[in-house]
Amino acid sequence: VRGYFLNFPAGDVFICKTLAIDPELQGGGAVWAMVALIHQRARAAGMHGGVHYLMHEGAVSTFFCGPQSRVVRRYALYRKRL
């Protein structure tokens, strides 16, 4: 497996949870193709939107959402030495 995309339906929208790609394939359009495919399949299934979860601000993946998207909630990660 050189990449995977964890997504699932939630009512009339789809949830995009996790996307990963082999570093050797980065920059070649594979991620864009995966995202386009899931959006196309969601539309064909009658869904009218999607939610992309847990995206790192400034990451390349934030560009998949497009200009019509908006931040719904922000999260913070904390670390504690044990």
Side-chain angles (χ1 to χ4, degrees), residues 60-71:
V60 173
S61 56
T62 60
F63 296 107
F64 298 130
C65 296
Q68 72 281 7
S69 63
R70 63 185 174 84
V71 173

Side-chain angles (χ1 to χ4, degrees), residues 8-72:
F8 49 89
D12 59 353
V13 299
F14 63 97
I15 307 296
C16 299
K17 176 68 174 67
T18 304
L19 171 64
I21 191 92
D22 184 327
E24 292 180 9
L25 298 177
Q26 289 179 353
V31 172
W32 288 99
M34 290 169 66
V35 172
L37 180 62
I38 194 59
H39 280 252
Q40 178 184 25
R41 288 183 177 176
R43 278 191 301 276
M47 296 180 190
H48 67 79
V51 179
H52 294 252
Y53 271 88
L54 300 175
M55 300 178 79
H56 184 272
E57 234 177 324
V60 173
S61 56
T62 60
F63 296 107
F64 298 130
C65 296
Q68 72 281 7
S69 63
R70 63 185 174 84
V71 173
V72 176

